[in-house]
Amino acid sequence: MTMILSVAVVAALGLGLGWLLGLASQWLGATIDPVVERLTEALPGSQCGQCGYPGCGQAAIALSKGEAPVTLCPPGGRVVAEKLAEILGTTFDPGNLPDRGPLLARVRTDSCIGCSRCIKSCPTDAILGATKQLHVVLEEACIGCGACAEVCPTGGIDLEGIPVTLRNWRWHKPGVGHA
Amino acid sequence: MKEYLLLLLGTALVNNVILVRFLGLCPFLGVSGKLETALGMGLATTFVLTLTSGATWVVEHVLLQPLDMMHLRILTYILVIAAVVQFTEMAIQKASPVLHHTLGIYLPLITTNCAVLGTALLNLQQDNSLIQSLLYGAGSALGFTLVILLFAGLRERIALANVPAAFAGTPIALITAGLLSLAFMGFAGLPVR
């Protein structure tokens, strides 16, 4: 008798609490939009910030709200843009997708006055230098976001493609033609 | 009124859950690295502790004692605590996804925080009424939050200090915790239970 009552008490308590939690989740449940989840999966997930959002998660939220174009992701390029458009059920114009490859910031040595503003604006600490000293961009850390070029008072920072060297030269992809 | 105030003070300082009763040491050492997360953890635990103190009192006096099912005490208490923690997690996820992310695994682990179960059992041992139980829970939680905040502040400073290599990291944190506990012994002189 005690055994059956014990089981009944625990079962009733469990069911009751479960029911209350179910009710609470309808009220409070943080609904993760399935579209946002799929968009986040489609994005590269490297959190590089070249789209202008802090990370891929925030970019996915902006995409789902229609605040950002599907072509926002430079590293993802055309393939990711197509995937994003498919998830969102929209089409995109591949013509306006600048296929310029990854960019790097570069300090022009004759324009740099050593004001160190670009150092403070860099999200990845990729610029090295001190006040009244020539600054230099660390290529390994630069994500090509262009924040430094915006704040530079002399316009002395260029965004350039990565120069082709013997180390990174590759055959062109078949069917794409010469980029 | 004065009696209730003394109860609150007594549980928060004199019988502090962490430093005097040595309960809830896992989050005390785990989430005290940064002041902000420590505050978030303290607030979440405050919410859970106060609510469970009341809920376990109700379960004890409405369900277990009339049915003479006292042997189910720990099982049902854990069930109630788990449900309240789940509720807290939902509320935090809704209110502040960032805090939810920083607290991470420590949030569901409040379920197994022995301070929560310990407070519920101490309530029972001291034969507290519902209001006393709620105050006891709130007082314990305030003490928990106070200590975890103090400790987080200390650890933030220790992180910048020049600590000998043999003591760096957890050893110096444990020594600091011991010193803090000694300091809280001083509250034993207060004329509250």
Side-chain angles (χ1 to χ4, degrees), chain B residues 168-191:
Chain B
T170 314
I172 193 75
L174 288 171
I175 290 170
T176 318
L179 290 174
L180 204 57
S181 181
L182 276 178
F184 265 68
M185 290 281 175
F187 287 119
L190 285 181

Side-chain angles (χ1 to χ4, degrees), chain B residues 24 26-28 31 37-50 52 77-78 80-89 92 99-100 103-118 141 144 148:
Chain B
C26 164
F28 176 60
V31 206
T37 34
L39 181 64
M41 188 66 192
L43 291 179
T45 311
T46 304
F47 190 73
V48 171
L49 247 172
T50 315
T52 46
Y77 280 16
I78 288 287
V80 170
I81 291 168
V84 173
V85 168
Q86 198 59 45
F87 177 74
T88 315
E89 189 171 3
I92 289 182
L99 183 63
H100 184 258
L103 288 179
I105 184 67
Y106 288 103
L107 196 54
L109 275 183
I110 299 178
T111 312
T112 52
N113 185 341
C114 51
V116 181
L117 183 65
F144 180 88
I148 203 171

Side-chain angles (χ1 to χ4, degrees), chain A residues 172-173 175-179:
Chain A
H172 295 297
K173 285 176 191 161
V176 182
H178 292 278

Side-chain angles (χ1 to χ4, degrees), chain A residues 73-100:
Chain A
C73 184
R78 200 192 161 116
V79 182
V80 167
E82 270 171 7
K83 256 193 246 167
L84 296 177
E86 191 192 311
I87 295 167
L88 290 169
T90 55
T91 52
F92 78 101
D93 178 15
N96 64 12
L97 183 66
D99 195 11
R100 48 186 184 182

Side-chain angles (χ1 to χ4, degrees), chain A residues 19-133:
Chain A
W19 181 70
L20 280 177
L21 275 181
L23 275 186
S25 78
Q26 282 191 340
W27 271 44
L28 288 169
T31 46
I32 298 167
D33 196 345
V35 174
V36 172
E37 214 169 315
R38 287 179 64 200
L39 288 170
T40 316
E41 269 172 31
L43 288 165
S46 54
Q47 326 290 352
C48 72
Q50 289 187 53
C51 54
Y53 294 94
C56 295
Q58 288 85 347
I61 292 169
L63 276 168
S64 71
K65 286 181 190 158
E67 289 167 3
V70 289
T71 53
L72 87 171
C73 184
R78 200 192 161 116
V79 182
V80 167
E82 270 171 7
K83 256 193 246 167
L84 296 177
E86 191 192 311
I87 295 167
L88 290 169
T90 55
T91 52
F92 78 101
D93 178 15
N96 64 12
L97 183 66
D99 195 11
R100 48 186 184 182
L103 290 175
L104 283 182
R106 203 184 156 91
V107 179
R108 249 185 268 149
T109 46
D110 51 349
S111 316
C112 181
I113 54 172
C115 67
S116 80
R117 274 183 220 181
C118 54
I119 296 179
K120 285 169 200 148
S121 75
C122 182
T124 58
D125 273 350
I127 303 178
L128 205 65
T131 319
K132 293 186 181 169
Q133 303 281 323

Side-chain angles (χ1 to χ4, degrees), chain A residues 1-3 5-7 9-10 13-14 17 21-22 24-32, chain B residues 59 63-64 67-69 71-72 75-77 79-80 82-84 86-87 90-91 93-94:
Chain A
M1 188 57 210
T2 321
M3 196 177 79
L5 201 59
S6 304
V7 172
V9 164
V10 175
L13 203 65
L17 288 170
L21 275 181
S25 78
Q26 282 191 340
W27 271 44
L28 288 169
T31 46
I32 298 167
Chain B
V59 167
L63 202 64
L64 297 184
L67 289 173
D68 200 26
M69 287 277 133
H71 56 280
L72 291 177
L75 184 62
T76 47
Y77 280 16
L79 202 62
V80 170
V84 173
Q86 198 59 45
F87 177 74
M90 272 194 266
Q93 195 168 22
K94 182 84 173 177

